[in-house]
Amino acid sequence: MSSLNYRHLHYFWVVAKEGGFARAADRLGMAVQTISAQVRELERSLGHQLLKPEGRGLVLTEAGQAAFSRAEEIFQIGQLVPHEVHEAATQRVQRLSVGLSDGLSKLAAHALLAPVLDTPNLRLVCHEGEVDQLLGELALHHLDLVLTDQPAPVNPTLRITSQLLASTSVDWWGPAELVARAQRSPSRPFPHGLEDLPVLLPTRHASLRAGLERWFEQHHIRPQVVGEFEDSALMSVFAARGLGVFPVSRLGADDLALMSGLHLLGQTEVMEDVHGIYSRRGQNHPLVAKLLAASRRPGRADGGVSTAGNDSDFPSEE
């Protein structure tokens, strides 16, 4: 097989993203015939058809889907090169790319990132997604650190390390009107008074949800669930507007002070863990190293928060 022509691959990538030769030609400022000919040349060099007509447009064949997936990685990384080279040459920006899993309390994540937020010329880039997706981005070095509510999976091919950054108790908060209503019912003190209030919960993909459901069962509570949210910060916004009461990690409770009208309803023994997952490259990042060190310091956080420095190590990168 002849060596891959990346110019041809780029034209194919643009055609696939735009959904046709004409739109790709407009984007690239080239003739349709030129792009078509070079994509056909790519198909000949690879020995497989990558695009096929469907209706009035084009769709990817199975071979084309495989080629497009790799091309997407190649050219997304390529688009970062000029910017990263400029940053490295000028040394004016300290970039930290962090992945936040969907199930993680974003308020807790903000508190854990606090030790680096005053870094001069910091450029913090946060991506949110499913854990598997974020670990893939970590493996491709698109991310420096992943914060999640679960440790890294045991998968030697990933070459990653997992560290428990914090374990924090969970409290219940709510709008002033609902908290006052609960306090006016001494016969139904917290937590049993939750049965008389509208309740907001994290969705079931969050590890915290399972802990809360065990806690409900232990206290024989049947909550009136009126809303479920993947994002804890979004849940707090709806709570502040009066939709219901909600659980929040004590580690992130300080951020609730930024939202008017929210009051503490009660405290629980339910715990939420936050893990940091990183590769060897991430471990050598000065800001990641600072965050990991901060999590090991006793007394770094208070209010029921404990931190741990026990790493769960997996094979590191060579």
Side-chain angles (χ1 to χ4, degrees):
M1 182 181 293
S2 60
S3 60
L4 182 64
N5 186 311
Y6 286 92
R7 184 179 296 276
H8 294 169
L9 182 65
H10 181 256
Y11 292 153
F12 158 74
W13 177 65
V14 175
V15 170
K17 289 182 76 69
E18 295 295 326
F21 288 109
R23 287 191 290 272
D26 289 340
R27 173 173 167 179
L28 295 169
M30 300 175 63
V32 172
Q33 295 82 356
T34 300
I35 296 175
S36 176
Q38 299 206 23
V39 170
R40 300 307 175 210
E41 184 60 33
L42 175 66
E43 291 179 321
R44 282 192 291 272
S45 69
L46 294 176
H48 296 280
Q49 183 181 3
L50 304 179
L51 297 162
K52 63 181 181 181
E54 184 174 283
R56 296 184 178 180
L58 294 171
V59 296
L60 294 168
T61 63
E62 290 189 11
Q65 291 173 359
F68 178 76
S69 178
R70 287 301 183 188
E72 185 87 341
E73 294 177 16
I74 291 168
F75 294 117
Q76 283 185 352
I77 293 173
Q79 289 171 350
L80 297 175
V81 170
H83 180 68
E84 292 184 352
V85 167
H86 175 73
E87 287 186 354
T90 59
Q91 296 184 348
R92 289 182 298 184
V93 175
Q94 295 199 59
R95 182 185 180 93
L96 178 64
S97 295
V98 180
L100 306 174
S101 72
D102 287 340
L104 177 69
S105 165
K106 302 309 180 294
L107 297 174
H110 175 263
L112 285 170
L113 293 173
V116 301
L117 296 182
D118 61 352
T119 302
N121 302 313
L122 172 68
R123 178 168 297 169
L124 177 65
V125 181
C126 292
H127 299 271
E128 187 175 356
E130 296 289 341
V131 174
D132 290 345
Q133 171 196 349
L134 295 175
L135 293 184
E137 294 293 305
L138 184 68
L140 292 171
H141 306 305
H142 295 168
L143 297 174
D144 303 306
L145 178 69
V146 172
L147 298 181
T148 176
D149 58 355
Q150 54 190 289
V154 180
N155 186 341
T157 62
L158 290 178
R159 298 180 178 181
I160 54 179
T161 301
S162 178
Q163 178 178 314
L164 177 63
L165 300 182
S167 186
T168 175
S169 55
V170 173
D171 299 334
W172 283 82
W173 287 68
E177 180 182 351
L178 293 181
V179 172
R181 183 202 303 178
Q183 293 172 344
R184 289 195 298 267
S185 302
S187 61
R188 297 270 284 176
F190 181 86
H192 300 286
L194 286 173
E195 291 189 331
D196 303 322
L197 300 172
V199 167
L200 311 181
L201 290 177
T203 53
R204 294 185 183 278
H205 77 294
S207 297
L208 177 59
R209 177 64 177 266
L212 288 168
E213 290 185 341
R214 288 192 296 270
W215 181 75
F216 288 143
E217 184 176 354
Q218 177 187 353
H219 291 279
H220 308 289
I221 296 171
R222 294 183 178 180
Q224 304 175 31
V225 180
V226 299
E228 300 181 58
F229 298 83
E230 290 186 354
D231 189 320
S232 60
L234 181 62
M235 182 162 57
S236 67
V237 170
F238 276 84
R241 298 299 183 269
L243 185 61
V245 299
F246 69 108
V248 62
S249 160
R250 197 173 300 178
L251 185 60
D254 287 346
D255 286 331
L256 294 180
L258 302 176
M259 306 185 68
S260 61
L262 288 177
H263 294 266
L264 178 66
L265 175 62
Q267 299 176 334
T268 79
E269 66 277 13
V270 179
M271 303 296 289
E272 181 178 29
D273 294 339
V274 182
H275 300 263
I277 304 175
Y278 52 93
S279 64
R280 171 172 290 184
R281 175 178 172 178
Q283 185 177 14
N284 293 330
H285 191 298
L287 298 184
V288 172
K290 185 175 182 178
L291 289 170
L292 298 177
S295 75
R296 298 188 182 105
R297 290 200 295 269
R300 181 190 62 82
D302 56 15
V305 178
S306 62
T307 58
N310 296 326
D311 292 359
S312 174
D313 294 326
F314 296 89
S316 59
E317 293 181 320
E318 300 297 334

